[in-house]
Amino acid sequence: MILDIKDLHVKIGNKEILKGLNLTLEEGKVHAIMGPNGAGKSTLSKAIVGHYDVEVTQGDILYKGKSIIEMEPEERALEGIFLSFQHPVEIPGVNNAYFLRTALNAKRKHEGKEELNAAEFLRAMKEHLEALGMKSDMISRSLNEGFSGGEKKRNEILQMLILEPEVIILDEIDSGLDIDALRAVSEGINRMKDGKRSFLVITHYSRILDYIEPDYIHVLKDGRIVKTAGVELVEILEKDGYDGIEEDAGS
Amino acid sequence: MKPDTLDLNTLCHQSPEALAKFFGVKEDNPLLKKLTSLGLPTKKSEAYRYFDAESLLEKEYKTLAYVPKEAEEADKLEIVNGVVTTAPKDLRVYYGVYDEVNKEHYDPLYFLGHLLRPNVIIIEIDGDREIELLHRYTQRDTLIQYRIVIKNQANRHATIYESFDSEGTQGSLVLYGYDITVARDSTLRVIRNQTINDDAYHLIASHYIKAEKQASIILKTFDFGNRSALQLLKVDLGERAHIDAGHLLYLSGKARRGSISQIVHQGEHSSSFQEAKNILEGDARGIFDALIRVEHSAKHTKAQQNSKSILLNAGTYMVAKPQLEIYIDELEASHGATTGQLDEKQLFYLQSRGISRQEAEKMLVIAFANTLIEKVKDVRHQEKVLESFEKAFYAKKDRG
């Protein structure tokens, strides 16, 4: 296993959102998390990456066997954990290319590799931009500023491609995407599948799962994983809804 | 014959007769009357309330003779200690008495400047062109004061890139300023890089700008450092005239810096856009005290005014006073001011990509500044301004 979440209790403000959540991510597998609104799906992703909103009150998150709950967000990122945000923030004045190169060079430095200069970086970017159908001027603009929903999600996937993380959390990656953007984003994600990387796909709808085939479906309800099964669970959920599922024993 | 030293505070408290004698004018001189009625700035003066002008004005300074000399030919227009030393060959620069001093200016130092130095530097800009203007100061404990009059041609587009340099100017006070008339249907851009190095002089710049019918003035001030500097601006806008005024402040240490302005819409369909971005740390105090006044004659005016400030630590203080004074109904106007810290969501986003908190903070500060710096169209000058900003910002020891 690459990520092991044990009995996780998380508060945001005074409200407990995750109430003893257990989840294990296997190496090289795609795990999808589905669940009703307010179940705690985004809180789970925030807890894994160390968002300032969340307070872990109990339990642990082990990444490659080591606890990460005391680590800063940037340390978790450098160790290989990546979150594709549901709503990426806009940062006027920060050039996208400069940001991407700073992030990539921080990672390379962490791994003891030489930093890339601007020309080397742009050469490395070219292929990814083309594959994602991104216009080259998108990396010369301010980070996410004025980007459409689809452009923002493509930019998230671009970051994922260049940073090559080992655990990839995709929080509602399909929201706000048209069919063409969904296909381009999914292809980008599928290119990252190498039998070693693990994916945690957080979604409301099954549409994205037509493009990114999951190995496991987990249902998150009221702050806990209540059901884990194979891809066949999607059909049951579509038919019966979240209230109609039979919870796993001991969940 | 002027004395070798001067204490402005004592001077200005003398009788009208003595003052008239000192300035070599009649007692009923309108500039002298304005100066005596306004009085020198004190802590109670509205315009100077947040800027410690008193301590600068009550000091005794050495004075300079300002002997005009033949300017050498050079690419730049250079003014050293208030005297033109070099000028481009085809630029008309000369000294002369200016008889169009604005009598409605709110700043007493505007009138003091004209009285102390009635022989102003006059720059006449022909055609479409760019001018680099460098002010250089080399005297310590000295009052350096001069005024510059700028005139351009109708239907033309000119740009002035202004910068400052100094060496050994500890304890000096620079009083200077522009009187600019922007001719009808013309555009004048003035890009001011007002960076003042450590241990240097203090600066008070008092400007008056008149934009004639359909004229456009773009005034961008980049103001970095840890010393005291104040820009006082009065602008009169004629029919369909426009001003785009931007001010970027980065203050550290015990700096007291900022801008005080009055933009007066006099003509119909005139427009103003004023924005200030302020970054403060240390014990710095920033000032954005800006009034836009729309006169009865200025129907269909558009006026917009905005100040955004980032306080990097608890010891800083930002005075942001955007004000609209409106006497008509037919207009579009807005104003606002925000003061806060760096955005946690933005910081987290950068951190989530492996960028350290400290590096992320630097990126956001530079980004905030960049939104104004990017408005300098010429890439070479844009880079110069960015370089000045980064030099001032990275000068803080723990940031290297």
Side-chain angles (χ1 to χ4, degrees), chain A:
Chain A
M1 72 190 74
I2 191 160
L3 195 75
D4 192 12
I5 302 173
K6 291 179 174 175
D7 188 29
L8 193 66
H9 291 252
V10 166
K11 275 167 61 178
I12 293 185
N14 290 324
K15 193 174 178 190
E16 187 172 45
I17 309 289
L18 300 184
K19 302 165 182 171
L21 183 143
N22 291 291
L23 177 68
T24 300
L25 257 60
E26 290 180 20
E27 193 173 284
K29 301 292 183 189
V30 177
H31 296 251
I33 300 259
M34 300 182 77
N37 288 335
K41 300 188 297 294
S42 289
T43 302
L44 172 62
S45 67
K46 284 180 171 180
I48 297 170
V49 297
H51 194 275
Y52 56 87
D53 265 356
V54 301
E55 183 192 349
V56 176
T57 54
Q58 194 180 316
D60 208 348
I61 304 171
L62 303 177
Y63 173 63
K64 294 181 182 173
K66 283 196 320 192
S67 173
I68 58 169
I69 57 171
E70 295 298 327
M71 286 167 74
E72 294 296 326
E74 61 267 36
E75 292 174 301
R76 302 183 199 206
L78 292 172
E79 288 295 325
I81 298 173
F82 179 91
L83 168 64
S84 167
F85 287 83
Q86 185 180 358
H87 301 294
V89 292
E90 298 191 4
I91 311 188
V94 169
N95 175 275
N96 199 17
Y98 176 71
F99 156 70
L100 292 167
R101 187 157 72 92
T102 304
L104 177 58
N105 279 338
K107 181 93 192 296
R108 289 178 69 87
K109 194 175 169 189
H110 181 72
E111 292 168 349
K113 294 178 184 167
E114 286 276 308
E115 294 182 18
L116 296 186
N117 64 32
E120 290 166 334
F121 169 76
L122 288 173
R123 270 199 298 277
M125 291 289 296
K126 200 169 171 235
E127 187 195 342
H128 294 316
L129 286 170
E130 283 170 5
L132 286 169
M134 290 172 74
K135 291 175 193 159
S136 56
D137 74 335
M138 272 184 66
I139 63 163
S140 57
R141 286 159 61 183
S142 284
L143 176 54
N144 292 329
E145 190 187 28
F147 285 21
S148 67
E151 286 173 332
K152 282 181 181 168
K153 294 294 169 79
R154 279 180 162 100
N155 206 36
E156 294 290 288
I157 299 306
L158 177 66
Q159 292 165 44
M160 179 188 78
L161 290 171
I162 64 165
L163 293 174
E164 300 182 333
E166 292 175 65
V167 168
I168 295 163
I169 305 161
L170 303 163
D171 189 2
E172 306 278 2
I173 188 72
D174 51 342
S175 68
L177 295 187
D178 61 28
I179 291 293
D180 291 338
L182 183 62
R183 189 173 293 126
V185 163
S186 304
E187 282 169 5
I189 294 165
N190 286 328
R191 279 171 60 203
M192 292 293 282
K193 286 186 182 175
D194 63 352
K196 288 187 175 176
R197 288 194 177 92
S198 304
F199 293 81
L200 186 62
V201 183
I202 294 171
T203 184
H204 259 98
Y205 306 106
S206 58
R207 186 176 68 151
I208 185 74
L209 303 178
D210 294 338
Y211 294 88
I212 310 164
E213 201 176 317
D215 297 293
Y216 299 101
I217 306 288
H218 307 275
V219 176
L220 175 54
K221 211 173 148 186
D222 195 25
R224 291 178 303 119
I225 300 291
V226 295
K227 180 89 180 166
T228 294
V231 72
E232 68 279 1
L233 184 58
V234 176
E235 268 188 50
I236 298 169
L237 287 172
E238 292 218 325
K239 191 166 147 251
D240 300 337
Y242 293 110
D243 289 335
I245 60 157
E246 188 183 334
E247 297 189 5
D248 290 340
S251 64

